[in-house]
Amino acid sequence: MNQGQNASPIPASWRPGADAQQRSEALKERVYVTFTALAVTIAFERDVEHATIEGAALTLLLTVAGTLLAVFVADVIAHMVRTNVLPSRKELAHLTYVSFGSLGVLLAPMAILGLTALGVIERAPALRIISVALVATLIVVTLFAVRRLRVKPWLKLLVLAIMTALGLAVLAIELAVH
């Protein structure tokens, strides 16, 4: 992987040159971050009368950034324990990309919160739309993950169905809380 590939805005899981290890790491982080963003969104939706859009956006951004920073630090430390040396420039670029490449999960939620700040969407429906968008993100991430698997199509569908069911279960829990 050359330096130009590391700077790519395209998630490692979608880049043609990414190997299976890179794709799996990037997809794993994207799933973690999406579930984290979903949990924060649900928490804000529970207290929508007292929540502000600015507070929701800042909390979502800080939570996701903090999660990714923790993942990055953990990956660097794990690399040092595994290899007994600091990561090389190339390895550090890879770790940075895998960790922070998942910031793209915030695009839809932040756009929706922006529309809410402009008065286009009310707070409660906006938070619900964000939850649905995040579940859709989980499904799309899983779809990209299973498309390259060398397994029978029914197994791909099973994995996709499981992730869809988990996302829908989170939404059901959200509705049950209200």
Side-chain angles (χ1 to χ4, degrees):
M1 179 162 60
N2 66 37
Q3 198 71 0
Q5 287 176 313
N6 291 334
S8 171
I10 300 169
S13 58
W14 299 354
R15 286 190 322 223
D19 66 21
Q21 179 70 25
Q22 293 164 333
R23 287 191 311 271
S24 69
E25 290 173 15
L27 287 165
K28 179 181 70 170
E29 298 312 324
R30 192 161 285 244
V31 169
Y32 288 160
V33 169
T34 303
F35 270 113
T36 299
L38 190 54
V40 169
T41 302
I42 290 169
F44 264 95
E45 195 170 349
R46 284 192 69 208
D47 197 25
V48 72
E49 290 89 28
H50 300 98
T52 65
I53 295 306
E54 297 82 9
L58 184 61
T59 300
L60 190 57
L61 179 65
L62 291 176
T63 301
V64 168
T67 300
L68 293 175
L69 185 59
V71 167
F72 175 74
V73 169
D75 283 348
V76 169
I77 292 169
H79 178 277
M80 291 175 2
V81 168
R82 187 174 53 254
T83 63
N84 216 20
V85 295
L86 291 171
S88 68
R89 174 176 262 166
K90 180 180 176 183
E91 292 164 333
L92 195 56
H94 169 73
L95 293 174
T96 301
Y97 186 82
V98 166
S99 294
F100 296 104
S102 295
L103 279 171
V105 167
L106 287 175
L107 291 176
M110 290 301 175
I112 294 164
L113 289 173
L115 291 173
T116 305
L118 294 172
V120 177
I121 306 171
E122 294 294 320
R123 277 184 298 188
L127 292 169
R128 205 160 296 118
I129 292 167
I130 291 170
S131 294
V132 171
L134 289 169
V135 170
T137 298
L138 288 170
I139 294 166
V140 169
V141 165
T142 304
L143 184 61
F144 276 99
V146 300
R147 81 186 197 301
R148 293 185 182 191
L149 293 179
R150 292 184 185 125
V151 298
K152 296 181 187 221
W154 70 267
L155 281 173
K156 292 179 183 185
L157 287 173
L158 179 64
V159 171
L160 189 57
I162 290 169
M163 186 58 80
T164 302
L166 287 172
L168 292 175
V170 170
L171 288 177
I173 290 168
E174 173 188 346
L175 292 174
V177 169
H178 293 318

